[in-house]
Amino acid sequence: NLLEQQCIKHRLEYFTDGRLMEVVKEHRKILDAIEKKDLKQAIDMVKEHNKNTVNSIIASSHRKNPSIELKKLTSLRAI
């Protein structure tokens, strides 16, 4: 799908330094929940992380290439 293609094509190019720090924090929270064997929290954190990542890629894609239809990019949020 389009999101996978964008991730593979650009990888870290989409992430600002601030987003990279947030990714590290999100991963730590996920691992903490797993270590505590808190399945619900781990799942919730993974969902939140994925949502944040998609939103970051959408925003970055549009900034880097404004000709990309924002409507097409925002449809990725449904994934």
Side-chain angles (χ1 to χ4, degrees):
N1 69 29
L2 180 60
L3 177 60
E4 289 171 347
Q5 291 171 4
Q6 293 297 317
C7 288
I8 291 167
K9 182 177 178 186
H10 299 285
R11 300 192 187 263
L12 295 178
E13 179 181 326
Y14 280 107
F15 299 103
T16 63
D17 289 343
R19 178 63 191 138
L20 285 174
M21 293 305 295
E22 289 299 314
V23 167
V24 170
K25 289 177 188 176
E26 291 168 3
H27 284 188
R28 283 187 184 141
K29 289 179 181 180
I30 292 166
L31 290 173
D32 287 345
I34 291 169
E35 286 175 356
K36 293 176 185 173
K37 299 183 181 180
D38 187 340
L39 182 59
K40 182 184 179 329
Q41 183 177 356
I43 290 170
D44 289 345
M45 295 308 306
V46 168
K47 287 178 181 178
E48 182 71 18
H49 170 67
N50 289 342
K51 181 187 82 167
N52 292 341
T53 300
V54 168
N55 287 338
S56 177
I57 290 171
I58 289 169
S60 182
S61 295
H62 190 64
R63 276 193 308 273
K64 291 176 188 271
N65 189 354
S67 66
I68 294 176
E69 272 187 60
L70 195 54
K71 184 177 180 179
K72 187 174 184 180
L73 287 171
T74 55
S75 69
L76 295 174
R77 287 191 177 120
I79 297 171

